[in-house]
Amino acid sequence: GESVGLHLPTLSVQEGDNSIINCAYSNSASDYFIWYKQESGKGPQFIIDIRSNMDKRQGQRVTVLLNKTVKHLSLQIAATQPGDSAVYFCAEKGYQKVTFGTGTKLQVIP
Amino acid sequence: NAGVMQNPRHLVRRRGQEARLRCSPMKGHSHVYWYRQLPEEGLKFMVYLQKENIIDESGMPKERFSAEFPKEGPSILRIQQVVRGDSAAYFCASSDVNRKATGELFFGEGSRLTVL
């Protein structure tokens, strides 16, 4: 769903460790789920998507997992780097529009 | 290959004035989306347009807000008689037919509106 007046949860990770960012979605009818990265002062940037009939998809250093049973989506970032510090949003692609969920701020500790 | 261009990047208005935010989509993209973001919050969908058509405006406030995407020129988000609560970052995104199906949007850098 959409965040309403909440401060973003923060995940702090040591550089080089793996990061796991979680997201609960609401619409079972969504046909794609997407992860976006937003750096400070910039617009969101597409990272990876997964179709609703899949449960795992891998990209470069990132893996998205989809569990439709519990309506859960996760983004795994391998060997986290300082440049990964940003806010990460999950999103759902419905019939016409893309709806963003609550973001998670990832802080990478050097 | 220029990305999504938004202007102005920063806009200051006094209460009661009008704000016009412009968005030029990526070349070849005919689908435009507008989102609003408050500090430390997520992106709230406002409107989805194709050339000369509003497809989904379910996120637009009923009054004072309007959007258009004419046959020629940029998409415009217009806010009339602005109030302090309109202060936010407004992001435009574009997509082509194929990427629209998967939800892959290309965002601009946003227009930050401050209402005094």
Side-chain angles (χ1 to χ4, degrees), chain A residues 2-3 5-8 31-32 34 36 38 41-44 46 49 89 93 95-98 100 105, chain B residues 9 33 35 37 40-45 48 55-56 58 91 100-105 107-109 112:
Chain A
E2 298 178 9
S3 63
L6 299 173
H7 289 293
L8 298 171
D31 45 26
Y32 278 89
I34 315 107
Y36 283 87
Q38 186 178 27
K42 295 189 175 182
F46 172 88
D49 62 22
F89 292 98
K93 166 63 176 59
Y95 175 59
Q96 294 285 12
K97 64 189 182 188
V98 176
F100 283 73
K105 185 181 293 185
Chain B
R9 292 292 311 278
Y33 306 76
Y35 288 83
Q37 186 177 38
E40 295 289 305
E41 291 193 12
L43 292 100
K44 185 174 187 297
F45 169 81
Y48 160 43
I55 306 302
D56 185 338
S58 58
F91 287 95
K100 169 194 172 293
T102 64
E104 182 178 355
L105 306 179
F107 280 84
E109 298 287 76
R112 282 149 185 84

Side-chain angles (χ1 to χ4, degrees), chain A residues 35-55:
Chain A
W35 281 99
Y36 283 87
K37 172 186 181 182
Q38 186 178 27
E39 296 177 356
S40 181
K42 295 189 175 182
Q45 183 180 16
F46 172 88
I47 301 173
I48 190 169
D49 62 22
I50 186 167
R51 194 167 182 171
S52 60
N53 62 357
M54 299 171 65
D55 52 24

Side-chain angles (χ1 to χ4, degrees), chain B:
Chain B
N1 187 13
V4 177
M5 304 300 292
Q6 288 189 249
N7 68 83
R9 292 292 311 278
H10 300 275
L11 182 63
V12 179
R13 286 288 178 264
R14 296 191 180 279
R15 280 179 297 171
Q17 292 184 320
E18 179 179 288
R20 281 191 182 223
L21 310 177
R22 287 175 290 278
C23 169
S24 295
M26 283 184 69
K27 187 176 180 181
H29 287 190
S30 58
H31 303 265
V32 165
Y33 306 76
W34 284 93
Y35 288 83
R36 169 190 161 113
Q37 186 177 38
L38 295 173
E40 295 289 305
E41 291 193 12
L43 292 100
K44 185 174 187 297
F45 169 81
M46 298 183 75
V47 62
Y48 160 43
L49 311 104
Q50 293 180 26
K51 284 284 187 182
E52 300 184 276
N53 287 306
I54 297 174
I55 306 302
D56 185 338
E57 57 180 346
S58 58
M60 288 281 271
K62 294 289 184 279
E63 297 176 348
R64 302 188 298 109
F65 284 71
S66 62
E68 63 176 12
F69 188 17
K71 187 177 180 181
E72 301 290 339
S75 175
I76 307 283
L77 179 67
R78 181 184 180 203
I79 311 172
Q80 296 178 286
Q81 298 176 314
V82 296
V83 300
R84 288 212 174 111
D86 296 333
S87 295
Y90 292 85
F91 287 95
C92 169
S94 74
S95 190
D96 60 24
V97 171
N98 293 326
R99 291 190 175 91
K100 169 194 172 293
T102 64
E104 182 178 355
L105 306 179
F106 293 80
F107 280 84
E109 298 287 76
S111 291
R112 282 149 185 84
L113 172 65
T114 302
V115 179
L116 302 178

